[in-house]
Amino acid sequence: MKTAGVIGAGNANTQLLELAEKVGRLLARNGFIVITGGLGGVMEAASRGVCAEGGITVGLLPTDSKADANPYVKIPIPTGLGEIRNALIVRASDILIAIGGQYGTLSEIALALKTGKKVIGLNTWHIPGIIKATSAEDAVDIALKLL
Amino acid sequence: MKTAGVIGAGNANTQLLELAEKVGRLLARNGFIVITGGLGGVMEAASRGVCAEGGITVGLLPTDSKADANPYVKIPIPTGLGEIRNALIVRASDILIAIGGQYGTLSEIALALKTGKKVIGLNTWHIPGIIKATSAEDAVDIALKLL
Amino acid sequence: MKTAGVIGAGNANTQLLELAEKVGRLLARNGFIVITGGLGGVMEAASRGVCAEGGITVGLLPTDSKADANPYVKIPIPTGLGEIRNALIVRASDILIAIGGQYGTLSEIALALKTGKKVIGLNTWHIPGIIKATSAEDAVDIALKLL
Amino acid sequence: MKTAGVIGAGNANTQLLELAEKVGRLLARNGFIVITGGLGGVMEAASRGVCAEGGITVGLLPTDSKADANPYVKIPIPTGLGEIRNALIVRASDILIAIGGQYGTLSEIALALKTGKKVIGLNTWHIPGIIKATSAEDAVDIALKLL
């Protein structure tokens, strides 16, 4: 089973949220299990897209309470690890798609690139090594080609 | 969604494996997501039981490779944390069922009891605080009553 | 540099605290860096003994605040990992001395034995694999012989 | 006791290594415990500087073996957590000084900024939020003023 991590900020504008939801839909249609940090913003929008297609979403939560997961997380994993859970998202994902994002997302991008995982970027940090995509479709196409 | 962790040794005798498979079946029939350490023995038998009923199994693996998961793990989470992943199994589970088991299982029992999680025991360590069950049916009945 | 982990409950009676302090003194005199969980009870008493001999104490704290360390921790490491820090105490120690203790200590004993580390016990859990010592002197003598 | 994390790549050029050693010397003279990832390059150079002044160095190693620490680590903490130990370096440090560095350093910078820790940068990544220093002296002066 292929897994894709969708990473991005808990607060994001409408454009990024629509992009995340579309990425989620496309990943689910292509058979990916989608892994996120389980909270709001990009994480929630991507999970909502996956659920709309009947896919599976895993939320690796920073807290130790399932109640903190957004309603589209089917498998909540409360880690109690705080930001350390970012590293687990990277480890659990075959590939990562970064959508917007702030420092937390940057830490995930850096950990992924450090450990040799591919990161596809949509309107995110400009860091050498990120593979830039131009649209949700483009991002998921790239992910499929890379795996 | 209710989650139950099934913990026990990677090497176990036939009697324990049959017990674990039965526990897995009953948990799935009662709507639990089943969380294990993702490897062989009790972990695999319980997951096989869950799959036989169409349920969902999560495997929190000690290594960083999905390939180490047994074939009945539907959601593999390679953590790369070694035995530290035992603590994540405890955190991610609403309740734990311990079947047989050696030192790794003992660490999970102790962490669960330390953090106030209920542990139901089937032929496992004799540690004060464990709720002893007499059969797979009894164990899952107790789990349902406690949640 | 040799490291010894001293594990035991945050609440302990006078007898155990005196034992822990004596163990700390003897470990320091024999050149061990002493690692504990950094909080009160056995952890604090052992650290006090080390400091009385001018030794070095490391406290691997469950919280993310150095302010939670007892006053005898020279090197506080706030991990923010909660009970998961127990596993780090085990990993960071060449050998463990368990003094009394409840479920947290039991988890450390189990993780140590699971990963092949020696555990010397003073009035602690009765778990196969623990090497029982009869006094603080005996415990530290055993530690020195085993390393 | 004040702690400073010195972060940077395991492979670095002579200029960065001299900078790291000087930072280590100045931190030790000003009473900081210095925390690094315990390996080579910037981590080793900074630790060497600290030791030259009789200070204390902690190495939070990614592996589970003390033997992987550079010779200037006085307190080796083998975590076995891989790159996840980067997050522990951030948590254990009151302030961070980044010297050069690649993806691992970037992950530490991002985690620090995400969790509100100050990061002082010397020839490192250009990330908003980093406080740029012009020399080793300047970096340590800034660290002293910020704490």
Side-chain angles (χ1 to χ4, degrees), chain C residues 1-37:
Chain C
M1 185 63 113
K2 309 182 290 282
T3 54
V6 179
I7 57 181
N11 289 307
N13 63 33
T14 310
Q15 189 205 347
L16 288 175
L17 295 179
E18 286 176 359
L19 202 51
E21 184 164 350
K22 203 162 189 181
V23 166
R25 280 181 173 274
L26 292 167
L27 287 171
R29 273 184 220 159
N30 284 284
F32 284 91
I33 292 175
V34 173
I35 297 171
T36 73

Side-chain angles (χ1 to χ4, degrees), chain D residues 20-144:
Chain D
E21 184 164 349
K22 204 163 188 180
V23 165
R25 279 181 174 276
L26 292 167
L27 286 171
R29 274 186 219 158
N30 285 283
F32 283 91
I33 293 176
V34 173
I35 296 171
T36 74
L39 302 179
V42 161
M43 300 171 260
E44 179 166 350
S47 300
R48 189 167 53 236
V50 174
C51 287
E53 302 286 335
I56 295 176
T57 53
V58 177
L60 288 163
L61 295 158
T63 68
D64 57 8
S65 168
K66 284 192 296 183
D68 294 325
N70 71 61
Y72 306 102
V73 171
K74 290 195 182 165
I75 318 279
I77 309 281
T79 70
L81 295 173
E83 292 302 317
I84 287 183
R85 72 84 153 79
N86 294 0
L88 291 186
I89 295 170
V90 171
R91 286 191 179 166
S93 302
D94 294 328
I95 200 161
L96 291 125
I97 300 180
I99 302 172
Q102 300 175 320
Y103 292 131
T105 307
L106 179 59
S107 77
E108 290 160 329
I109 291 169
L111 284 167
L113 294 174
K114 168 77 179 176
T115 53
K117 290 258 168 87
K118 303 290 188 190
V119 181
I120 300 162
L122 282 164
N123 294 341
T124 189
W125 291 87
H126 296 289
I127 299 293
I130 294 179
I131 300 159
K132 288 194 190 184
T134 55
S135 66
E137 289 82 357
D138 188 35
V140 177
D141 277 353
I142 294 170
L144 285 166

Side-chain angles (χ1 to χ4, degrees), chain A residues 75-143:
Chain A
I75 318 279
I77 309 280
T79 70
L81 294 174
E83 292 303 316
I84 288 183
R85 74 83 153 78
N86 295 0
L88 291 186
I89 295 170
V90 171
R91 285 190 179 166
S93 302
D94 293 329
I95 199 161
L96 291 125
I97 300 180
I99 303 171
Q102 300 175 318
Y103 292 130
T105 307
L106 179 59
S107 77
E108 290 160 329
I109 292 169
L111 283 167
L113 295 173
K114 168 76 178 178
T115 53
K117 290 258 166 86
K118 303 290 188 191
V119 180
I120 300 162
L122 282 164
N123 294 341
T124 189
W125 292 86
H126 296 288
I127 299 293
I130 293 180
I131 301 159
K132 288 193 188 184
T134 56
S135 66
E137 289 82 358
D138 188 35
V140 177
D141 277 354
I142 295 170

Side-chain angles (χ1 to χ4, degrees), chain C residues 15-133:
Chain C
Q15 189 205 347
L16 288 175
L17 295 179
E18 286 176 359
L19 202 51
E21 184 164 350
K22 203 162 189 181
V23 166
R25 280 181 173 274
L26 292 167
L27 287 171
R29 273 184 220 159
N30 284 284
F32 284 91
I33 292 175
V34 173
I35 297 171
T36 73
L39 301 180
V42 162
M43 301 171 260
E44 180 166 348
S47 300
R48 190 168 50 234
V50 175
C51 287
E53 301 286 333
I56 296 177
T57 52
V58 177
L60 288 163
L61 295 159
T63 67
D64 56 10
S65 168
K66 284 193 296 183
D68 293 326
N70 71 60
Y72 307 101
V73 171
K74 291 195 183 165
I75 317 279
I77 309 280
T79 70
L81 293 173
E83 291 304 316
I84 288 182
R85 73 82 153 80
N86 294 0
L88 291 186
I89 294 170
V90 171
R91 286 190 178 166
S93 302
D94 294 329
I95 199 160
L96 290 125
I97 300 180
I99 302 171
Q102 300 177 318
Y103 292 131
T105 307
L106 179 60
S107 77
E108 290 161 329
I109 291 169
L111 285 167
L113 295 173
K114 169 76 179 176
T115 54
K117 289 258 168 85
K118 303 291 187 190
V119 180
I120 300 162
L122 281 165
N123 294 341
T124 188
W125 291 87
H126 296 288
I127 299 292
I130 293 180
I131 300 159
K132 289 195 188 182

Side-chain angles (χ1 to χ4, degrees), chain B residues 4-117:
Chain B
V6 180
I7 57 180
N11 289 306
N13 63 34
T14 311
Q15 188 205 346
L16 287 175
L17 296 179
E18 287 176 359
L19 201 51
E21 184 164 350
K22 204 162 189 181
V23 165
R25 279 183 174 275
L26 292 167
L27 287 172
R29 273 186 221 158
N30 285 283
F32 284 91
I33 294 176
V34 173
I35 296 172
T36 73
L39 301 180
V42 162
M43 300 171 260
E44 179 165 349
S47 300
R48 188 168 53 235
V50 174
C51 287
E53 302 286 334
I56 296 176
T57 52
V58 177
L60 288 163
L61 295 159
T63 68
D64 56 9
S65 169
K66 284 193 295 185
D68 294 325
N70 71 61
Y72 307 102
V73 171
K74 291 195 181 164
I75 318 279
I77 309 280
T79 70
L81 294 174
E83 293 302 317
I84 287 183
R85 73 82 153 80
N86 295 0
L88 291 186
I89 295 170
V90 172
R91 285 190 180 166
S93 302
D94 294 329
I95 200 160
L96 290 125
I97 300 180
I99 302 171
Q102 299 174 319
Y103 292 130
T105 306
L106 179 59
S107 77
E108 290 160 328
I109 291 169
L111 284 168
L113 295 174
K114 168 77 179 175
T115 53
K117 290 259 168 85

